[in-house]
Amino acid sequence: MKKSIKPLMTVIIFMILLLLITLIWYHIESGQSSDEIPINSFEDFLIYLLGYGDIQLPNIFSKTVFSIVSLLGLTLFSSIFTVNLFERWDKIKIEPKIFIWNKKSKTNVASVILTNGKKDMYNLNAKLILSYRSQVQTEEKYIPFISKKDIKSLEFNIAPGTVVYNFLRYNLKGDAVKPVLVFTAAYTDISKGHEYTVCKKYQYFDKNRSDIFFSPNSVFKAPYEQISHHILKEIEKKADPGLEKKVQNYILNNSFNIDLSSAIPINAEDIDISYGYSLNNFDLPPNKAFEAKVHMTERVSYNPSDFCIACVVGPLGSDWIKYYDLGCSLNFNYFIDSNITVTLEIKCALLDSDKENTIFFNLMPNDDFEKFTLKLNKYEREMFRTVSELCFTVFYKNTDAENHTGHFVISSCALEIEEEVKRVDFSLSEQS
């Protein structure tokens, strides 16, 4: 029954529009009838628009216009109706929800479920694609053969660094820019010698509007090959809020937020800091974002080495060794207007030296928020024994020559586990 809904709706919509156009034309022409040219009936107009018969009109212009409208409408209807009527009903379909469940009581996995039609399919290449800001991440699966009327589950681990993990993490962080998750499946129909591709876009809002479904463990005890499409629909009716909370906590516990409300101005006469930020009707709280307005125009003159800073002192207690051992990266989002350049300074102190080491990165102006990522393991472990300051610095020499003002925004700053690594005991790490 469902297979006939699309072509049936196409016919109904076309007939309604055709009757509406005919009615409008009939009323226009009925006011222009005369004794020499009697009025045509409503049926005459309708039959003419369908391409049959002829009508006599005093105004040949309207006849030409409505003839063209009719021709375009019939052509469009024919193409849409043909596509819907002869759509391949035996193709592979993607279930509308991603199922997240618990495997072996420890590992959380996300399953994308494919249902095959009435033909054997070969060489299926599936991709789970995550797009977030300017970054794209993919995971691929390959299935050489899917028999007709079969159900396959493609399982993707939920662990730091994986696509589903990052998709959920970006949503849980509450960023104003939402990530995009797309699943594509390309496969071959040998009987016709054609290749086909199907795709599905997933969104994660909340349990009332989400394409992500947290399922009880018991549902997945049977092999997928023994689960019918009807049973899958029944599964979607029984969510597991306890599992959803566990997965959310697991992801959030792998993210260590740096409190941006502790950022202080240095050379405060040249910089103002406001805490919190609003973007696209989405409010970031003071601990998640700050906006700094730079106004190096108050004094008569500056030296090229002069600067102003938004500085976070002792971020996360200064000792980043345990985060280094967990495989963390420093991540944050930033926006900088075109008049200034911001220099990120990570000031570290080595135990065997009184000299402070500083890691520098130049953050360039941009048109929209961009993500900064720095993997800690690119540097020596002992450098992160004491991270005294995290500074966002604007040097006078890096401002616009004619306009020494500007602003920048920093948001969602955190040390985050990017890869699945062996966990270490924090207490042992702190004693080493």
Side-chain angles (χ1 to χ4, degrees), residues 22 25 65 117 206 239 279 291 384 393:
T22 305
W25 192 20
V65 170
D206 53 51
L279 176 67
E291 180 178 16
F384 298 98
T393 306

Side-chain angles (χ1 to χ4, degrees), residues 262-280:
S262 64
I264 59 173
I266 295 180
N267 290 340
E269 68 274 13
D270 295 330
I271 186 171
D272 296 323
I273 299 178
S274 57
Y275 303 97
Y277 190 71
S278 295
L279 176 67
N280 299 329

Side-chain angles (χ1 to χ4, degrees), residues 2-11 81 84-85 87:
K2 290 183 179 180
K3 297 178 181 179
S4 61
I5 290 179
K6 279 188 176 180
L8 180 61
M9 289 300 299
T10 302
V11 172
F81 182 78
N84 287 328
L85 183 62
E87 181 186 10

Side-chain angles (χ1 to χ4, degrees), residues 147-162:
S147 61
K148 59 184 180 181
K149 297 183 179 180
D150 196 3
I151 295 178
K152 288 289 184 183
S153 169
L154 303 186
E155 297 178 359
F156 298 89
N157 286 336
I158 301 177
T162 62

Side-chain angles (χ1 to χ4, degrees), residues 155-356:
E155 297 178 359
F156 298 89
N157 286 336
I158 301 177
T162 62
V163 165
V164 179
Y165 177 94
N166 285 338
F167 174 70
L168 295 174
R169 177 162 65 100
Y170 295 148
N171 278 285
L172 294 174
K173 283 172 62 178
D175 199 340
V177 178
K178 295 300 180 184
V180 177
L181 183 65
V182 177
F183 179 83
T184 65
Y187 58 93
T188 303
D189 181 351
I190 288 185
S191 64
K192 295 184 177 180
H194 293 162
E195 292 186 354
Y196 300 93
T197 301
V198 292
C199 64
K200 176 71 174 72
K201 178 182 176 180
Y202 295 100
Q203 294 176 312
Y204 179 67
F205 295 101
D206 53 51
K207 59 185 177 182
N208 296 321
R209 296 181 55 197
S210 179
D211 292 332
I212 308 298
F213 183 84
F214 294 83
S215 172
N217 299 349
S218 58
V219 172
F220 296 93
K221 289 182 178 178
Y224 273 95
E225 290 75 6
Q226 300 175 14
I227 299 178
S228 68
H229 186 76
H230 172 72
I231 294 177
L232 290 175
K233 293 300 180 184
E234 292 298 318
I235 292 173
E236 294 183 11
K237 298 178 182 178
K238 299 178 181 179
D240 185 352
L243 177 62
E244 180 178 8
K245 192 65 176 178
K246 288 180 181 178
V247 173
Q248 291 179 355
N249 289 339
Y250 166 68
I251 292 172
L252 293 174
N253 287 339
N254 289 331
S255 180
F256 310 95
N257 295 319
I258 295 175
D259 186 359
L260 294 180
S261 65
S262 64
I264 59 173
I266 295 180
N267 290 340
E269 68 274 13
D270 295 330
I271 186 171
D272 296 323
I273 299 178
S274 57
Y275 303 97
Y277 190 71
S278 295
L279 176 67
N280 299 329
N281 296 322
F282 186 88
D283 295 328
L284 292 170
N287 64 321
K288 288 289 187 72
F290 70 79
E291 180 178 16
K293 294 182 179 180
V294 177
H295 42 86
M296 287 183 163
T297 54
E298 303 299 321
R299 284 185 273 166
V300 176
S301 63
Y302 284 83
N303 296 315
S305 59
D306 286 342
F307 58 84
C308 61
I309 298 176
C311 179
V312 180
V313 179
L316 291 174
S318 297
D319 186 355
W320 286 13
I321 289 292
K322 57 188 178 184
Y323 306 113
Y324 184 100
D325 292 339
L326 283 172
C328 285
S329 295
L330 172 65
N331 295 323
F332 60 83
N333 301 318
Y334 67 94
F335 168 77
I336 305 170
D337 74 10
S338 59
N339 290 330
I340 60 175
T341 298
V342 177
T343 300
L344 169 65
E345 300 179 89
I346 306 174
K347 297 186 178 181
C348 312
L350 295 176
L351 291 179
D352 57 353
S353 173
D354 294 332
K355 185 178 180 181
E356 188 175 60

